[in-house]
């Protein structure tokens, strides 16, 4: 038991069962599975927009989210889902007080603070 790092009861249970568990879960049904034939037909007709397909599925009773349709369409296409790039960092306008400080000090105070000379 020390060699395996398992508890005595675990080893005993596996020995009685005759085998160790595999912990492999079976394939789970997806919410899009019943709509795959429709999606394949629409993709074959040339539709490329997964969000539009999601809206069409909603009209026919689909209750899942857009991401589940995007993932399903990506799997049918044979690649990862295409996502919009994340927006870049947003520049925040300095407050009036900060602007006055920058203008009146000429920026020296900022450099000193940046270098750790002023607390």
């Amino acid at each position: 038991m020390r060699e395996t790092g398992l508890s005595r009861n675990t080893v005993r249970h596996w020995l009685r069962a005759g085998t160790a568990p595999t912990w492999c879960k079976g394939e789970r049904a997806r919410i899009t599975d019943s709509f795959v034939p429709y999606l394949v037909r629409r993709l074959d007709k040339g539709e490329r927009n997964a969000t539009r397909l999601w809206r069409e599925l909603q009209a026919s009773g689909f209750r899942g989210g857009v991401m589940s349709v995007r993932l399903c369409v990506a799997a049918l296409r044979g690649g990862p889902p295409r996502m919009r790039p994340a927006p870049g960092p947003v520049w925040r306008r300095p407050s009036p007080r900060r602007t006055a400080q920058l203008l009146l000090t000429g920026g020296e105070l900022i450099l000193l603070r940046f270098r750790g000379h002023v607390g």
Side-chain angles (χ1 to χ4, degrees):
M1 265 131 315
R2 290 185 185 194
E3 295 85 25
T4 64
L6 300 170
S7 77
R8 181 177 310 163
N9 289 338
T10 302
V11 174
R12 186 178 298 136
H13 177 75
W14 290 355
L15 289 173
R16 284 183 187 152
T19 182
T22 60
W23 289 299
C24 292
K25 294 184 179 181
E27 195 63 32
R28 290 179 53 181
R30 305 219 187 287
I31 194 167
T32 54
D33 284 350
S34 59
F35 296 93
V36 167
Y38 176 78
L39 291 172
V40 168
R41 279 196 310 273
R42 293 290 287 133
L43 288 171
D44 287 342
K45 288 183 180 179
E47 181 60 60
R48 308 305 292 167
N49 190 325
T51 304
R52 189 175 299 133
L53 291 170
W54 171 68
R55 288 190 186 113
E56 292 174 10
L57 291 181
Q58 276 189 317
S60 64
F62 181 70
R63 299 180 64 86
V66 68
M67 279 307 298
S68 59
V69 175
R70 285 182 185 162
L71 291 170
C72 180
V73 167
L76 291 172
R77 286 183 189 153
R82 292 185 303 188
M83 303 297 228
R84 292 184 184 146
V90 177
W91 182 78
R92 288 184 38 201
R93 179 177 24 182
S95 68
R97 182 176 183 167
R98 184 75 174 136
T99 304
Q101 182 185 24
L102 291 170
L103 291 173
L104 294 176
T105 61
E108 296 101 20
L109 185 61
I110 295 170
L111 289 175
L112 292 175
R113 279 190 180 161
F114 180 70
R115 294 181 182 153
H117 296 301
V118 176

